mmCIF file with all atom_site columns, all heavy atoms in Angstrom:
data_model
loop_
_atom_site.group_PDB
_atom_site.id
_atom_site.type_symbol
_atom_site.label_atom_id
_atom_site.label_alt_id
_atom_site.label_comp_id
_atom_site.label_asym_id
_atom_site.label_entity_id
_atom_site.label_seq_id
_atom_site.pdbx_PDB_ins_code
_atom_site.Cartn_x
_atom_site.Cartn_y
_atom_site.Cartn_z
_atom_site.occupancy
_atom_site.B_iso_or_equiv
_atom_site.pdbx_formal_charge
_atom_site.auth_seq_id
_atom_site.auth_comp_id
_atom_site.auth_asym_id
_atom_site.auth_atom_id
_atom_site.pdbx_PDB_model_num
ATOM 1   N N   . THR Y 1 66 ? 99.093  112.615 110.384 1.00 97.00 ? 332 THR Y N   1
ATOM 2   C CA  . THR Y 1 66 ? 100.235 112.891 109.518 1.00 97.00 ? 332 THR Y CA  1
ATOM 3   C C   . THR Y 1 66 ? 101.484 112.180 110.038 1.00 97.00 ? 332 THR Y C   1
ATOM 4   O O   . THR Y 1 66 ? 102.238 111.596 109.261 1.00 97.00 ? 332 THR Y O   1
ATOM 5   C CB  . THR Y 1 66 ? 100.463 114.407 109.398 1.00 97.00 ? 332 THR Y CB  1
ATOM 6   O OG1 . THR Y 1 66 ? 99.283  114.998 108.838 1.00 97.00 ? 332 THR Y OG1 1
ATOM 7   C CG2 . THR Y 1 66 ? 101.655 114.724 108.521 1.00 97.00 ? 332 THR Y CG2 1
ATOM 8   N N   . LEU Y 1 67 ? 101.670 112.205 111.343 1.00 98.00 ? 333 LEU Y N   1
ATOM 9   C CA  . LEU Y 1 67 ? 102.793 111.491 111.950 1.00 98.00 ? 333 LEU Y CA  1
ATOM 10  C C   . LEU Y 1 67 ? 102.677 109.988 111.694 1.00 98.00 ? 333 LEU Y C   1
ATOM 11  O O   . LEU Y 1 67 ? 103.641 109.350 111.272 1.00 98.00 ? 333 LEU Y O   1
ATOM 12  C CB  . LEU Y 1 67 ? 102.846 111.768 113.456 1.00 98.00 ? 333 LEU Y CB  1
ATOM 13  C CG  . LEU Y 1 67 ? 103.918 111.021 114.237 1.00 98.00 ? 333 LEU Y CG  1
ATOM 14  C CD1 . LEU Y 1 67 ? 105.315 111.444 113.781 1.00 98.00 ? 333 LEU Y CD1 1
ATOM 15  C CD2 . LEU Y 1 67 ? 103.741 111.270 115.738 1.00 98.00 ? 333 LEU Y CD2 1
ATOM 16  N N   . LEU Y 1 68 ? 101.513 109.425 111.918 1.00 97.00 ? 334 LEU Y N   1
ATOM 17  C CA  . LEU Y 1 68 ? 101.311 107.990 111.704 1.00 97.00 ? 334 LEU Y CA  1
ATOM 18  C C   . LEU Y 1 68 ? 101.592 107.600 110.254 1.00 97.00 ? 334 LEU Y C   1
ATOM 19  O O   . LEU Y 1 68 ? 102.334 106.653 109.984 1.00 97.00 ? 334 LEU Y O   1
ATOM 20  C CB  . LEU Y 1 68 ? 99.887  107.598 112.093 1.00 97.00 ? 334 LEU Y CB  1
ATOM 21  C CG  . LEU Y 1 68 ? 99.498  106.150 111.881 1.00 97.00 ? 334 LEU Y CG  1
ATOM 22  C CD1 . LEU Y 1 68 ? 100.340 105.222 112.751 1.00 97.00 ? 334 LEU Y CD1 1
ATOM 23  C CD2 . LEU Y 1 68 ? 98.009  105.949 112.178 1.00 97.00 ? 334 LEU Y CD2 1
ATOM 24  N N   . PHE Y 1 69 ? 101.042 108.349 109.313 1.00 97.00 ? 335 PHE Y N   1
ATOM 25  C CA  . PHE Y 1 69 ? 101.194 107.992 107.905 1.00 97.00 ? 335 PHE Y CA  1
ATOM 26  C C   . PHE Y 1 69 ? 102.558 108.379 107.335 1.00 97.00 ? 335 PHE Y C   1
ATOM 27  O O   . PHE Y 1 69 ? 102.877 107.989 106.201 1.00 97.00 ? 335 PHE Y O   1
ATOM 28  C CB  . PHE Y 1 69 ? 100.050 108.554 107.071 1.00 97.00 ? 335 PHE Y CB  1
ATOM 29  C CG  . PHE Y 1 69 ? 98.738  107.872 107.358 1.00 97.00 ? 335 PHE Y CG  1
ATOM 30  C CD1 . PHE Y 1 69 ? 97.677  108.563 107.906 1.00 97.00 ? 335 PHE Y CD1 1
ATOM 31  C CD2 . PHE Y 1 69 ? 98.586  106.518 107.121 1.00 97.00 ? 335 PHE Y CD2 1
ATOM 32  C CE1 . PHE Y 1 69 ? 96.481  107.932 108.192 1.00 97.00 ? 335 PHE Y CE1 1
ATOM 33  C CE2 . PHE Y 1 69 ? 97.400  105.870 107.402 1.00 97.00 ? 335 PHE Y CE2 1
ATOM 34  C CZ  . PHE Y 1 69 ? 96.346  106.577 107.937 1.00 97.00 ? 335 PHE Y CZ  1
ATOM 35  N N   . SER Y 1 70 ? 103.360 109.093 108.096 1.00 96.00 ? 336 SER Y N   1
ATOM 36  C CA  . SER Y 1 70 ? 104.727 109.364 107.643 1.00 96.00 ? 336 SER Y CA  1
ATOM 37  C C   . SER Y 1 70 ? 105.504 108.049 107.532 1.00 96.00 ? 336 SER Y C   1
ATOM 38  O O   . SER Y 1 70 ? 106.467 107.962 106.770 1.00 96.00 ? 336 SER Y O   1
ATOM 39  C CB  . SER Y 1 70 ? 105.432 110.332 108.592 1.00 96.00 ? 336 SER Y CB  1
ATOM 40  O OG  . SER Y 1 70 ? 105.721 109.723 109.841 1.00 96.00 ? 336 SER Y OG  1
ATOM 41  N N   . PHE Y 1 71 ? 105.072 107.039 108.243 1.00 95.00 ? 337 PHE Y N   1
ATOM 42  C CA  . PHE Y 1 71 ? 105.733 105.735 108.195 1.00 95.00 ? 337 PHE Y CA  1
ATOM 43  C C   . PHE Y 1 71 ? 105.710 105.153 106.781 1.00 95.00 ? 337 PHE Y C   1
ATOM 44  O O   . PHE Y 1 71 ? 106.723 104.666 106.283 1.00 95.00 ? 337 PHE Y O   1
ATOM 45  C CB  . PHE Y 1 71 ? 105.050 104.775 109.177 1.00 95.00 ? 337 PHE Y CB  1
ATOM 46  C CG  . PHE Y 1 71 ? 105.622 103.390 109.161 1.00 95.00 ? 337 PHE Y CG  1
ATOM 47  C CD1 . PHE Y 1 71 ? 106.818 103.118 109.816 1.00 95.00 ? 337 PHE Y CD1 1
ATOM 48  C CD2 . PHE Y 1 71 ? 104.984 102.356 108.503 1.00 95.00 ? 337 PHE Y CD2 1
ATOM 49  C CE1 . PHE Y 1 71 ? 107.361 101.847 109.806 1.00 95.00 ? 337 PHE Y CE1 1
ATOM 50  C CE2 . PHE Y 1 71 ? 105.519 101.085 108.485 1.00 95.00 ? 337 PHE Y CE2 1
ATOM 51  C CZ  . PHE Y 1 71 ? 106.709 100.827 109.140 1.00 95.00 ? 337 PHE Y CZ  1
ATOM 52  N N   . ILE Y 1 72 ? 104.572 105.204 106.138 1.00 94.00 ? 338 ILE Y N   1
ATOM 53  C CA  . ILE Y 1 72 ? 104.432 104.585 104.814 1.00 94.00 ? 338 ILE Y CA  1
ATOM 54  C C   . ILE Y 1 72 ? 105.069 105.460 103.731 1.00 94.00 ? 338 ILE Y C   1
ATOM 55  O O   . ILE Y 1 72 ? 105.358 104.986 102.632 1.00 94.00 ? 338 ILE Y O   1
ATOM 56  C CB  . ILE Y 1 72 ? 102.946 104.280 104.488 1.00 94.00 ? 338 ILE Y CB  1
ATOM 57  C CG1 . ILE Y 1 72 ? 102.818 103.232 103.387 1.00 94.00 ? 338 ILE Y CG1 1
ATOM 58  C CG2 . ILE Y 1 72 ? 102.170 105.541 104.140 1.00 94.00 ? 338 ILE Y CG2 1
ATOM 59  C CD1 . ILE Y 1 72 ? 103.226 101.849 103.785 1.00 94.00 ? 338 ILE Y CD1 1
ATOM 60  N N   . LYS Y 1 73 ? 105.354 106.724 104.051 1.00 93.00 ? 339 LYS Y N   1
ATOM 61  C CA  . LYS Y 1 73 ? 105.962 107.630 103.077 1.00 93.00 ? 339 LYS Y CA  1
ATOM 62  C C   . LYS Y 1 73 ? 107.487 107.603 103.108 1.00 93.00 ? 339 LYS Y C   1
ATOM 63  O O   . LYS Y 1 73 ? 108.125 108.272 102.305 1.00 93.00 ? 339 LYS Y O   1
ATOM 64  C CB  . LYS Y 1 73 ? 105.497 109.068 103.337 1.00 93.00 ? 339 LYS Y CB  1
ATOM 65  C CG  . LYS Y 1 73 ? 104.022 109.291 103.101 1.00 93.00 ? 339 LYS Y CG  1
ATOM 66  C CD  . LYS Y 1 73 ? 103.708 110.733 103.433 1.00 93.00 ? 339 LYS Y CD  1
ATOM 67  C CE  . LYS Y 1 73 ? 102.268 111.062 103.284 1.00 93.00 ? 339 LYS Y CE  1
ATOM 68  N NZ  . LYS Y 1 73 ? 102.011 112.464 103.591 1.00 93.00 ? 339 LYS Y NZ  1
ATOM 69  N N   . LYS Y 1 74 ? 108.064 106.849 104.040 1.00 91.00 ? 340 LYS Y N   1
ATOM 70  C CA  . LYS Y 1 74 ? 109.525 106.804 104.156 1.00 91.00 ? 340 LYS Y CA  1
ATOM 71  C C   . LYS Y 1 74 ? 110.160 106.312 102.866 1.00 91.00 ? 340 LYS Y C   1
ATOM 72  O O   . LYS Y 1 74 ? 109.653 105.404 102.212 1.00 91.00 ? 340 LYS Y O   1
ATOM 73  C CB  . LYS Y 1 74 ? 109.949 105.874 105.300 1.00 91.00 ? 340 LYS Y CB  1
ATOM 74  C CG  . LYS Y 1 74 ? 109.616 106.388 106.666 1.00 91.00 ? 340 LYS Y CG  1
ATOM 75  C CD  . LYS Y 1 74 ? 110.069 105.416 107.739 1.00 91.00 ? 340 LYS Y CD  1
ATOM 76  C CE  . LYS Y 1 74 ? 109.695 105.924 109.117 1.00 91.00 ? 340 LYS Y CE  1
ATOM 77  N NZ  . LYS Y 1 74 ? 110.100 104.984 110.169 1.00 91.00 ? 340 LYS Y NZ  1
ATOM 78  N N   . GLU Y 1 75 ? 111.298 106.913 102.533 1.00 88.00 ? 341 GLU Y N   1
ATOM 79  C CA  . GLU Y 1 75 ? 112.074 106.464 101.382 1.00 88.00 ? 341 GLU Y CA  1
ATOM 80  C C   . GLU Y 1 75 ? 112.810 105.177 101.759 1.00 88.00 ? 341 GLU Y C   1
ATOM 81  O O   . GLU Y 1 75 ? 113.212 104.999 102.902 1.00 88.00 ? 341 GLU Y O   1
ATOM 82  C CB  . GLU Y 1 75 ? 113.076 107.535 100.959 1.00 88.00 ? 341 GLU Y CB  1
ATOM 83  C CG  . GLU Y 1 75 ? 112.427 108.800 100.416 1.00 88.00 ? 341 GLU Y CG  1
ATOM 84  C CD  . GLU Y 1 75 ? 111.670 108.572 99.121  1.00 88.00 ? 341 GLU Y CD  1
ATOM 85  O OE1 . GLU Y 1 75 ? 112.150 107.789 98.282  1.00 88.00 ? 341 GLU Y OE1 1
ATOM 86  O OE2 . GLU Y 1 75 ? 110.605 109.179 98.962  1.00 88.00 ? 341 GLU Y OE2 1
ATOM 87  N N   . GLY Y 1 76 ? 112.996 104.326 100.786 1.00 84.00 ? 342 GLY Y N   1
ATOM 88  C CA  . GLY Y 1 76 ? 113.745 103.101 101.015 1.00 84.00 ? 342 GLY Y CA  1
ATOM 89  C C   . GLY Y 1 76 ? 112.907 102.013 101.660 1.00 84.00 ? 342 GLY Y C   1
ATOM 90  O O   . GLY Y 1 76 ? 111.695 102.150 101.821 1.00 84.00 ? 342 GLY Y O   1
ATOM 91  N N   . PRO Y 1 77 ? 113.576 100.933 102.037 1.00 83.00 ? 343 PRO Y N   1
ATOM 92  C CA  . PRO Y 1 77 ? 112.840 99.794  102.601 1.00 83.00 ? 343 PRO Y CA  1
ATOM 93  C C   . PRO Y 1 77 ? 112.268 100.117 103.980 1.00 83.00 ? 343 PRO Y C   1
ATOM 94  O O   . PRO Y 1 77 ? 112.807 100.941 104.720 1.00 83.00 ? 343 PRO Y O   1
ATOM 95  C CB  . PRO Y 1 77 ? 113.893 98.689  102.682 1.00 83.00 ? 343 PRO Y CB  1
ATOM 96  C CG  . PRO Y 1 77 ? 115.209 99.373  102.636 1.00 83.00 ? 343 PRO Y CG  1
ATOM 97  C CD  . PRO Y 1 77 ? 115.001 100.675 101.916 1.00 83.00 ? 343 PRO Y CD  1
ATOM 98  N N   . ILE Y 1 78 ? 111.186 99.452  104.290 1.00 86.00 ? 344 ILE Y N   1
ATOM 99  C CA  . ILE Y 1 78 ? 110.506 99.634  105.575 1.00 86.00 ? 344 ILE Y CA  1
ATOM 100 C C   . ILE Y 1 78 ? 110.642 98.339  106.369 1.00 86.00 ? 344 ILE Y C   1
ATOM 101 O O   . ILE Y 1 78 ? 110.480 97.246  105.828 1.00 86.00 ? 344 ILE Y O   1
ATOM 102 C CB  . ILE Y 1 78 ? 109.030 100.001 105.357 1.00 86.00 ? 344 ILE Y CB  1
ATOM 103 C CG1 . ILE Y 1 78 ? 108.940 101.410 104.759 1.00 86.00 ? 344 ILE Y CG1 1
ATOM 104 C CG2 . ILE Y 1 78 ? 108.239 99.907  106.641 1.00 86.00 ? 344 ILE Y CG2 1
ATOM 105 C CD1 . ILE Y 1 78 ? 107.525 101.893 104.501 1.00 86.00 ? 344 ILE Y CD1 1
ATOM 106 N N   . ASP Y 1 79 ? 110.933 98.481  107.654 1.00 84.00 ? 345 ASP Y N   1
ATOM 107 C CA  . ASP Y 1 79 ? 111.086 97.337  108.540 1.00 84.00 ? 345 ASP Y CA  1
ATOM 108 C C   . ASP Y 1 79 ? 109.787 96.514  108.559 1.00 84.00 ? 345 ASP Y C   1
ATOM 109 O O   . ASP Y 1 79 ? 108.728 97.055  108.870 1.00 84.00 ? 345 ASP Y O   1
ATOM 110 C CB  . ASP Y 1 79 ? 111.417 97.831  109.949 1.00 84.00 ? 345 ASP Y CB  1
ATOM 111 C CG  . ASP Y 1 79 ? 111.577 96.698  110.927 1.00 84.00 ? 345 ASP Y CG  1
ATOM 112 O OD1 . ASP Y 1 79 ? 112.595 95.981  110.837 1.00 84.00 ? 345 ASP Y OD1 1
ATOM 113 O OD2 . ASP Y 1 79 ? 110.679 96.523  111.790 1.00 84.00 ? 345 ASP Y OD2 1
ATOM 114 N N   . PRO Y 1 80 ? 109.865 95.217  108.233 1.00 84.00 ? 346 PRO Y N   1
ATOM 115 C CA  . PRO Y 1 80 ? 108.648 94.397  108.164 1.00 84.00 ? 346 PRO Y CA  1
ATOM 116 C C   . PRO Y 1 80 ? 107.917 94.278  109.504 1.00 84.00 ? 346 PRO Y C   1
ATOM 117 O O   . PRO Y 1 80 ? 106.693 94.251  109.544 1.00 84.00 ? 346 PRO Y O   1
ATOM 118 C CB  . PRO Y 1 80 ? 109.147 93.036  107.700 1.00 84.00 ? 346 PRO Y CB  1
ATOM 119 C CG  . PRO Y 1 80 ? 110.527 93.232  107.223 1.00 84.00 ? 346 PRO Y CG  1
ATOM 120 C CD  . PRO Y 1 80 ? 111.048 94.488  107.822 1.00 84.00 ? 346 PRO Y CD  1
ATOM 121 N N   . ARG Y 1 81 ? 108.671 94.189  110.598 1.00 86.00 ? 347 ARG Y N   1
ATOM 122 C CA  . ARG Y 1 81 ? 108.016 94.051  111.903 1.00 86.00 ? 347 ARG Y CA  1
ATOM 123 C C   . ARG Y 1 81 ? 107.206 95.303  112.219 1.00 86.00 ? 347 ARG Y C   1
ATOM 124 O O   . ARG Y 1 81 ? 106.043 95.224  112.617 1.00 86.00 ? 347 ARG Y O   1
ATOM 125 C CB  . ARG Y 1 81 ? 109.046 93.793  112.994 1.00 86.00 ? 347 ARG Y CB  1
ATOM 126 C CG  . ARG Y 1 81 ? 108.401 93.549  114.352 1.00 86.00 ? 347 ARG Y CG  1
ATOM 127 C CD  . ARG Y 1 81 ? 109.399 93.242  115.425 1.00 86.00 ? 347 ARG Y CD  1
ATOM 128 N NE  . ARG Y 1 81 ? 110.127 92.032  115.093 1.00 86.00 ? 347 ARG Y NE  1
ATOM 129 C CZ  . ARG Y 1 81 ? 111.410 91.840  115.362 1.00 86.00 ? 347 ARG Y CZ  1
ATOM 130 N NH1 . ARG Y 1 81 ? 112.099 92.780  115.968 1.00 86.00 ? 347 ARG Y NH1 1
ATOM 131 N NH2 . ARG Y 1 81 ? 112.009 90.726  115.039 1.00 86.00 ? 347 ARG Y NH2 1
ATOM 132 N N   . HIS Y 1 82 ? 107.808 96.455  112.010 1.00 90.00 ? 348 HIS Y N   1
ATOM 133 C CA  . HIS Y 1 82 ? 107.099 97.700  112.280 1.00 90.00 ? 348 HIS Y CA  1
ATOM 134 C C   . HIS Y 1 82 ? 105.945 97.908  111.307 1.00 90.00 ? 348 HIS Y C   1
ATOM 135 O O   . HIS Y 1 82 ? 104.939 98.526  111.675 1.00 90.00 ? 348 HIS Y O   1
ATOM 136 C CB  . HIS Y 1 82 ? 108.065 98.884  112.261 1.00 90.00 ? 348 HIS Y CB  1
ATOM 137 C CG  . HIS Y 1 82 ? 108.880 98.983  113.510 1.00 90.00 ? 348 HIS Y CG  1
ATOM 138 N ND1 . HIS Y 1 82 ? 108.646 99.914  114.475 1.00 90.00 ? 348 HIS Y ND1 1
ATOM 139 C CD2 . HIS Y 1 82 ? 109.919 98.235  113.963 1.00 90.00 ? 348 HIS Y CD2 1
ATOM 140 C CE1 . HIS Y 1 82 ? 109.495 99.752  115.469 1.00 90.00 ? 348 HIS Y CE1 1
ATOM 141 N NE2 . HIS Y 1 82 ? 110.286 98.743  115.174 1.00 90.00 ? 348 HIS Y NE2 1
ATOM 142 N N   . SER Y 1 83 ? 106.077 97.399  110.088 1.00 92.00 ? 349 SER Y N   1
ATOM 143 C CA  . SER Y 1 83 ? 104.965 97.524  109.145 1.00 92.00 ? 349 SER Y CA  1
ATOM 144 C C   . SER Y 1 83 ? 103.758 96.722  109.636 1.00 92.00 ? 349 SER Y C   1
ATOM 145 O O   . SER Y 1 83 ? 102.616 97.121  109.421 1.00 92.00 ? 349 SER Y O   1
ATOM 146 C CB  . SER Y 1 83 ? 105.372 97.099  107.733 1.00 92.00 ? 349 SER Y CB  1
ATOM 147 O OG  . SER Y 1 83 ? 105.584 95.716  107.652 1.00 92.00 ? 349 SER Y OG  1
ATOM 148 N N   . GLY Y 1 84 ? 104.009 95.610  110.326 1.00 93.00 ? 350 GLY Y N   1
ATOM 149 C CA  . GLY Y 1 84 ? 102.912 94.849  110.911 1.00 93.00 ? 350 GLY Y CA  1
ATOM 150 C C   . GLY Y 1 84 ? 102.226 95.610  112.030 1.00 93.00 ? 350 GLY Y C   1
ATOM 151 O O   . GLY Y 1 84 ? 100.989 95.596  112.149 1.00 93.00 ? 350 GLY Y O   1
ATOM 152 N N   . TYR Y 1 85 ? 103.013 96.293  112.862 1.00 95.00 ? 351 TYR Y N   1
ATOM 153 C CA  . TYR Y 1 85 ? 102.431 97.109  113.931 1.00 95.00 ? 351 TYR Y CA  1
ATOM 154 C C   . TYR Y 1 85 ? 101.627 98.263  113.326 1.00 95.00 ? 351 TYR Y C   1
ATOM 155 O O   . TYR Y 1 85 ? 100.520 98.578  113.776 1.00 95.00 ? 351 TYR Y O   1
ATOM 156 C CB  . TYR Y 1 85 ? 103.520 97.673  114.847 1.00 95.00 ? 351 TYR Y CB  1
ATOM 157 C CG  . TYR Y 1 85 ? 104.408 96.642  115.490 1.00 95.00 ? 351 TYR Y CG  1
ATOM 158 C CD1 . TYR Y 1 85 ? 105.768 96.878  115.665 1.00 95.00 ? 351 TYR Y CD1 1
ATOM 159 C CD2 . TYR Y 1 85 ? 103.919 95.409  115.914 1.00 95.00 ? 351 TYR Y CD2 1
ATOM 160 C CE1 . TYR Y 1 85 ? 106.597 95.942  116.265 1.00 95.00 ? 351 TYR Y CE1 1
ATOM 161 C CE2 . TYR Y 1 85 ? 104.744 94.466  116.502 1.00 95.00 ? 351 TYR Y CE2 1
ATOM 162 C CZ  . TYR Y 1 85 ? 106.086 94.736  116.670 1.00 95.00 ? 351 TYR Y CZ  1
ATOM 163 O OH  . TYR Y 1 85 ? 106.903 93.803  117.257 1.00 95.00 ? 351 TYR Y OH  1
ATOM 164 N N   . PHE Y 1 86 ? 102.188 98.884  112.297 1.00 96.00 ? 352 PHE Y N   1
ATOM 165 C CA  . PHE Y 1 86 ? 101.517 99.979  111.596 1.00 96.00 ? 352 PHE Y CA  1
ATOM 166 C C   . PHE Y 1 86 ? 100.189 99.503  111.012 1.00 96.00 ? 352 PHE Y C   1
ATOM 167 O O   . PHE Y 1 86 ? 99.165  100.163 111.154 1.00 96.00 ? 352 PHE Y O   1
ATOM 168 C CB  . PHE Y 1 86 ? 102.439 100.508 110.484 1.00 96.00 ? 352 PHE Y CB  1
ATOM 169 C CG  . PHE Y 1 86 ? 101.814 101.510 109.564 1.00 96.00 ? 352 PHE Y CG  1
ATOM 170 C CD1 . PHE Y 1 86 ? 101.653 102.829 109.959 1.00 96.00 ? 352 PHE Y CD1 1
ATOM 171 C CD2 . PHE Y 1 86 ? 101.408 101.136 108.293 1.00 96.00 ? 352 PHE Y CD2 1
ATOM 172 C CE1 . PHE Y 1 86 ? 101.090 103.753 109.101 1.00 96.00 ? 352 PHE Y CE1 1
ATOM 173 C CE2 . PHE Y 1 86 ? 100.853 102.054 107.429 1.00 96.00 ? 352 PHE Y CE2 1
ATOM 174 C CZ  . PHE Y 1 86 ? 100.688 103.369 107.830 1.00 96.00 ? 352 PHE Y CZ  1
ATOM 175 N N   . ARG Y 1 87 ? 100.199 98.338  110.395 1.00 95.00 ? 353 ARG Y N   1
ATOM 176 C CA  . ARG Y 1 87 ? 98.994  97.783  109.779 1.00 95.00 ? 353 ARG Y CA  1
ATOM 177 C C   . ARG Y 1 87 ? 97.920  97.539  110.836 1.00 95.00 ? 353 ARG Y C   1
ATOM 178 O O   . ARG Y 1 87 ? 96.732  97.801  110.629 1.00 95.00 ? 353 ARG Y O   1
ATOM 179 C CB  . ARG Y 1 87 ? 99.330  96.485  109.035 1.00 95.00 ? 353 ARG Y CB  1
ATOM 180 C CG  . ARG Y 1 87 ? 98.152  95.915  108.244 1.00 95.00 ? 353 ARG Y CG  1
ATOM 181 C CD  . ARG Y 1 87 ? 97.545  94.755  109.013 1.00 95.00 ? 353 ARG Y CD  1
ATOM 182 N NE  . ARG Y 1 87 ? 96.422  94.192  108.304 1.00 95.00 ? 353 ARG Y NE  1
ATOM 183 C CZ  . ARG Y 1 87 ? 95.158  94.397  108.660 1.00 95.00 ? 353 ARG Y CZ  1
ATOM 184 N NH1 . ARG Y 1 87 ? 94.854  95.171  109.659 1.00 95.00 ? 353 ARG Y NH1 1
ATOM 185 N NH2 . ARG Y 1 87 ? 94.179  93.828  107.993 1.00 95.00 ? 353 ARG Y NH2 1
ATOM 186 N N   . LYS Y 1 88 ? 98.333  97.024  111.986 1.00 96.00 ? 354 LYS Y N   1
ATOM 187 C CA  . LYS Y 1 88 ? 97.370  96.751  113.050 1.00 96.00 ? 354 LYS Y CA  1
ATOM 188 C C   . LYS Y 1 88 ? 96.677  98.035  113.490 1.00 96.00 ? 354 LYS Y C   1
ATOM 189 O O   . LYS Y 1 88 ? 95.451  98.085  113.613 1.00 96.00 ? 354 LYS Y O   1
ATOM 190 C CB  . LYS Y 1 88 ? 98.061  96.098  114.244 1.00 96.00 ? 354 LYS Y CB  1
ATOM 191 C CG  . LYS Y 1 88 ? 97.106  95.713  115.366 1.00 96.00 ? 354 LYS Y CG  1
ATOM 192 C CD  . LYS Y 1 88 ? 97.838  95.149  116.560 1.00 96.00 ? 354 LYS Y CD  1
ATOM 193 C CE  . LYS Y 1 88 ? 98.427  93.811  116.239 1.00 96.00 ? 354 LYS Y CE  1
ATOM 194 N NZ  . LYS Y 1 88 ? 99.033  93.159  117.406 1.00 96.00 ? 354 LYS Y NZ  1
ATOM 195 N N   . VAL Y 1 89 ? 97.450  99.083  113.711 1.00 97.00 ? 355 VAL Y N   1
ATOM 196 C CA  . VAL Y 1 89 ? 96.891  100.350 114.188 1.00 97.00 ? 355 VAL Y CA  1
ATOM 197 C C   . VAL Y 1 89 ? 95.989  100.975 113.132 1.00 97.00 ? 355 VAL Y C   1
ATOM 198 O O   . VAL Y 1 89 ? 94.850  101.358 113.414 1.00 97.00 ? 355 VAL Y O   1
ATOM 199 C CB  . VAL Y 1 89 ? 98.014  101.326 114.602 1.00 97.00 ? 355 VAL Y CB  1
ATOM 200 C CG1 . VAL Y 1 89 ? 97.459  102.709 114.907 1.00 97.00 ? 355 VAL Y CG1 1
ATOM 201 C CG2 . VAL Y 1 89 ? 98.772  100.770 115.795 1.00 97.00 ? 355 VAL Y CG2 1
ATOM 202 N N   . VAL Y 1 90 ? 96.478  101.077 111.897 1.00 96.00 ? 356 VAL Y N   1
ATOM 203 C CA  . VAL Y 1 90 ? 95.672  101.702 110.843 1.00 96.00 ? 356 VAL Y CA  1
ATOM 204 C C   . VAL Y 1 90 ? 94.431  100.859 110.560 1.00 96.00 ? 356 VAL Y C   1
ATOM 205 O O   . VAL Y 1 90 ? 93.345  101.412 110.339 1.00 96.00 ? 356 VAL Y O   1
ATOM 206 C CB  . VAL Y 1 90 ? 96.508  101.936 109.566 1.00 96.00 ? 356 VAL Y CB  1
ATOM 207 C CG1 . VAL Y 1 90 ? 95.639  102.488 108.442 1.00 96.00 ? 356 VAL Y CG1 1
ATOM 208 C CG2 . VAL Y 1 90 ? 97.656  102.896 109.857 1.00 96.00 ? 356 VAL Y CG2 1
ATOM 209 N N   . GLY Y 1 91 ? 94.567  99.546  110.602 1.00 94.00 ? 357 GLY Y N   1
ATOM 210 C CA  . GLY Y 1 91 ? 93.404  98.680  110.390 1.00 94.00 ? 357 GLY Y CA  1
ATOM 211 C C   . GLY Y 1 91 ? 92.310  98.942  111.406 1.00 94.00 ? 357 GLY Y C   1
ATOM 212 O O   . GLY Y 1 91 ? 91.122  99.026  111.054 1.00 94.00 ? 357 GLY Y O   1
#
Side-chain angles (χ1 to χ4, degrees):
T332 300
L333 176 64
L334 178 63
F335 291 116
S336 70
F337 178 78
I338 200 70
K339 294 178 182 181
K340 291 180 182 179
E341 294 295 322
I344 291 180
D345 179 72
R347 184 178 299 144
H348 283 255
S349 70
Y351 303 142
F352 172 78
R353 186 258 180 255
K354 183 184 291 186
V355 172
V356 176

